[in-house]
Amino acid sequence: MTITPSVIIFDVNETLSDMGPLAEAFNQAGMSASLTRPWFAELLRDGFALTVAGDNPDFAHLATDNLHRLLTQTSGPGKYQKQVDDIMGVFKNLALHADAVPGITALSRVADLVTLSNGATSVAQSLVTRGGVQDEFARFLSVQDAARWKPAREAYDYAATETGHTVDELLLVAVHPWDIHGAHAAGLRTAWINRTEATYPSYFTAPDIEAEDLVALAGKLTGP
């Protein structure tokens, strides 16, 4: 069944941004590139824990604190501000995935486009500006202005309020199954971007649409 939303809400980190360059940034800081994904997963885990406890943490603060502790664990006691700054510099200046520009352009003909990130709006704006598609977006939203992080219901309700639409008129696009599950619970329709041919977790609510990239998603939304 084709879904025609009024607004398409994009997750930002990993969904739009290609985090591949972080591996080399970790190497340059003296850490194994294999620590990149565990670092990001721990950052999300701690953010979710604080969200459950009723807090709305600052994404960048969690990211830098986790990096300081990881560097201490892997390299021993010391001052690592330069390494942290270098990694965060790469993280804040990532490029879009190769499918993002054509996909965003095509999707902008389907509905209004909005980002909703657990990070800062400035990071999302800079990301799409570097890709030359900033004008395709109607709004840039962050949970910093909501009550709690995604996947808490308040984050998605905030997006609905800010866009002036009911939650069932929104389509959440994300690579993270936890985001898909949270959006579904809040009443949004969902699209899971599966660039890695992963298996969707059975314990999360399945997405309404699965697509291998944003171009394919646009095709599914506009096709017969």
Side-chain angles (χ1 to χ4, degrees):
M1 179 179 66
T2 301
I3 297 173
T4 305
S6 297
V7 181
I8 297 175
I9 307 285
F10 289 91
D11 173 53
V12 177
N13 292 319
E14 292 190 292
T15 298
L16 295 180
S17 62
D18 179 1
M19 294 178 64
L22 280 171
E24 179 56 27
F26 268 61
N27 274 332
Q28 291 294 322
M31 294 187 291
S32 170
S34 65
L35 292 173
T36 306
R37 293 195 65 82
W39 162 72
F40 189 67
E42 183 171 317
L43 159 62
L44 292 177
R45 181 203 67 191
D46 292 351
F48 296 158
L50 288 165
T51 295
V52 171
D55 298 315
N56 189 346
D58 180 80
F59 188 93
H61 174 70
L62 265 64
T64 55
D65 183 87
N66 270 274
L67 283 172
H68 277 290
R69 290 185 290 105
L70 186 58
L71 281 158
T72 299
Q73 292 166 11
T74 57
S75 304
K79 295 181 179 181
Y80 298 105
Q81 191 61 52
K82 182 182 184 305
Q83 291 92 326
V84 170
D85 288 346
D86 288 346
I87 292 172
M88 289 302 295
V90 172
F91 184 64
K92 292 177 180 179
N93 290 281
L94 295 169
L96 291 166
H97 282 287
D99 62 282
V101 169
I104 287 168
T105 301
L107 289 166
S108 70
R109 295 191 285 268
V110 176
D112 289 338
L113 306 186
V114 174
T115 63
L116 178 63
S117 177
N118 283 343
T121 56
S122 59
V123 173
Q125 287 178 291
S126 296
L127 173 68
V128 299
T129 297
R130 288 192 297 277
V133 288
Q134 69 275 14
D135 292 340
E136 306 294 353
F137 287 86
R139 297 287 301 276
F140 298 93
L141 304 177
S142 169
V143 299
Q144 291 179 344
D145 300 314
R148 293 197 293 167
W149 275 32
K150 298 182 295 174
R153 178 182 296 270
E154 293 93 331
Y156 307 104
D157 287 343
Y158 163 73
T161 298
E162 289 296 308
T163 59
H165 290 271
T166 58
V167 289
D168 62 314
E169 295 178 295
L170 310 181
L171 176 72
L172 185 281
V173 179
V175 298
H176 305 290
W178 55 262
D179 207 352
I180 298 295
H181 182 86
H184 174 85
L188 283 71
R189 290 175 286 182
T190 58
W192 182 46
I193 303 303
N194 183 13
R195 295 187 179 96
T196 62
E197 299 183 351
T199 300
Y200 193 85
S202 62
Y203 42 81
F204 286 138
T205 302
D208 294 300
I209 300 175
E210 178 179 340
E212 61 266 30
D213 57 32
L214 296 180
V215 175
L217 173 62
K220 292 191 175 188
L221 290 176
T222 57

